[in-house]
């Protein structure tokens, strides 16, 4: 079953069950609070909820597979029992397998199947996958990112990973790609990727865009902290929607959904 709606992008709510995520770390570390937050996201307009148990902010420390599994899987199971479509944000095979067994329908892998076994797990399950680009790894990715042509290099990487996933049995219509805004990119790299997002859309794979509250917005907005980046977030999300993005990942679900509905009305009228 596709989780993509018709006529507008899918809205993915961000649910971090971590103590240290850059924007909402610690808010939903308690499982009851996490489940309540996930249900509220759906009530506010999310089509699916992305549950993550390991922070991928710059400088983040790694988490063991067992700790991540214990954080994520009970929340996934309880949300699925409440009828929520769940994505699991993980690059660990053990966590993805357990989350899929608990009812998750999407695996969102920031390493784009850096562990080849992840592709096999996803192929066997028949789930949807999101493959993201990241230069380096979270602890070091922002130290000195460099590209000769960031758009071409990121696009070609993602297409290559998508085709490799198809080669082991992941259905092509179940693969999303994410240019990884903020993951091993400077402000200039991020802006170039967003300005040329149509080149990712042209690959034919649905494009996910995740810019919610990210640091590049703070730089543009004169040093605004994460909780003061909503307007910037919505501006980029709407521009991405107009460029053809099919999935928008957001912390602030209700404002994102409202902006999306207005943008959809304008774009539909233009079509």
């Amino acid at each position: 079953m596709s989780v993509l709606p018709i006529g507008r992008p899918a809205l993915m709510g961000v649910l971090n069950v971590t103590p240290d995520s850059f924007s909402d770390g610690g808010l939903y570390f308690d499982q009851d609070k996490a489940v309540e937050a996930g249900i509220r996201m759906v009530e506010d307009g999310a089509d699916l909820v992305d549950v993550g148990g390991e922070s991928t902010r710059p400088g983040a420390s790694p988490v063991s597979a067992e700790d991540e599994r214990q954080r994520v899987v009970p929340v996934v199971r309880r949300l699925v029992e409440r009828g929520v479509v769940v994505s699991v944000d993980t690059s660990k095979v053990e966590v993805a397998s357990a989350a899929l067994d608990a009812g998750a329908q999407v695996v969102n892998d920031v390493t784009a199947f850096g562990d080849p076994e992840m592709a096999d797990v996803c192929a066997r399950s028949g789930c949807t996958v999101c493959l993201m680009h990241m230069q380096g790894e979270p602890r070091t990715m922002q130290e000195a990112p460099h590209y000769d042509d960031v758009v071409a290099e990121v696009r070609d990487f993602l297409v290559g990973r998508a085709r490799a996933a198809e080669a082991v049995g992941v259905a092509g219509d179940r693969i999303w790609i994410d240019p990884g805004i903020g993951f091993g990119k400077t402000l200039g790299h991020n802006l170039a990727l967003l300005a040329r997002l149509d080149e990712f859309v042209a690959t034919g794979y649905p494009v996910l865009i995740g810019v919610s509250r990210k640091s590049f917005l703070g730089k543009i907005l004169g040093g605004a902290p994460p909780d003061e980046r909503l307007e910037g977030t919505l501006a980029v999300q709407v521009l991405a929607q107009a460029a053809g993005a099919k999935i928008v990942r957001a912390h602030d679900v209700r404002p994102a959904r409202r902006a999306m509905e207005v943008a959809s009305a304008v774009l539909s009228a233009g079509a």
Side-chain angles (χ1 to χ4, degrees):
M1 180 181 69
S2 174
V3 299
L4 295 179
I6 297 173
R8 62 168 177 81
L11 181 55
M12 173 189 277
V14 180
L15 183 60
N16 292 314
V17 289
T18 62
D20 58 345
S21 291
F22 83 96
S23 176
D24 56 357
L27 288 180
Y28 310 122
F29 197 45
D30 176 84
Q31 291 182 4
D32 290 338
K33 289 182 179 179
V35 173
E36 290 171 6
I39 293 169
R40 188 164 57 249
M41 288 177 186
V42 174
E43 293 172 347
D44 286 345
D47 298 290
L48 68 163
V49 174
D50 193 37
V51 181
E54 179 178 23
S55 175
T56 51
R57 63 178 172 78
S61 298
V63 174
S64 72
E66 180 58 21
D67 285 348
E68 187 179 339
R69 187 188 64 78
Q70 290 183 4
R71 293 176 181 181
V72 166
V73 174
V75 175
V76 170
R77 181 176 293 109
R78 290 173 62 184
L79 287 174
V80 169
E81 289 171 352
R82 298 289 294 272
V84 176
V85 178
V86 175
S87 166
V88 59
D89 179 3
T90 188
S91 58
K92 296 184 178 69
V93 171
E94 303 96 316
V95 178
S97 297
L100 290 167
D101 288 344
Q105 295 186 34
V106 181
V107 172
N108 181 15
D109 185 352
V110 299
T111 70
F113 293 167
D115 183 341
E117 189 180 345
M118 184 74 88
D120 295 327
V121 167
C122 292
R124 289 195 299 270
S125 76
C127 68
T128 296
V129 303
C130 182
L131 307 176
M132 195 197 81
H133 176 275
M134 173 171 54
Q135 187 176 89
E137 48 90 24
R139 283 175 294 177
T140 60
M141 64 186 178
Q142 289 303 109
E143 289 181 359
H146 172 78
Y147 305 85
D148 293 323
D149 182 338
V150 65
V151 175
E153 290 172 44
V154 173
R155 181 197 62 221
D156 291 350
F157 168 86
L158 289 172
V159 169
R161 287 297 176 95
R163 289 176 177 165
E166 289 188 71
V168 298
V170 179
D173 61 357
R174 301 232 171 189
I175 298 174
W176 304 344
I177 59 173
D178 176 356
I181 301 300
F183 284 82
K185 283 97 175 174
T186 64
L187 173 59
H189 295 146
N190 291 324
L191 294 178
L193 290 165
L194 291 166
R196 295 167 58 187
L197 199 64
D198 60 316
E199 296 183 36
F200 293 87
V201 173
T203 66
Y205 295 106
V207 175
L208 181 149
I209 195 73
V211 298
S212 186
R213 304 181 185 176
K214 287 191 173 178
S215 61
F216 83 99
L217 297 170
K219 292 176 182 177
I220 295 171
L221 297 173
D227 62 355
E228 295 181 13
R229 298 172 187 167
L230 176 59
E231 299 92 343
T233 295
L234 295 176
V236 178
Q237 288 172 347
V238 167
L239 289 168
Q241 180 178 351
K246 294 299 184 184
I247 309 96
V248 171
R249 189 174 184 272
H251 294 86
D252 303 288
V253 170
R254 180 172 291 184
R257 180 59 182 268
R258 288 178 171 177
M260 183 181 292
E261 294 289 355
V262 174
S264 293
V266 174
L267 294 168
S268 297

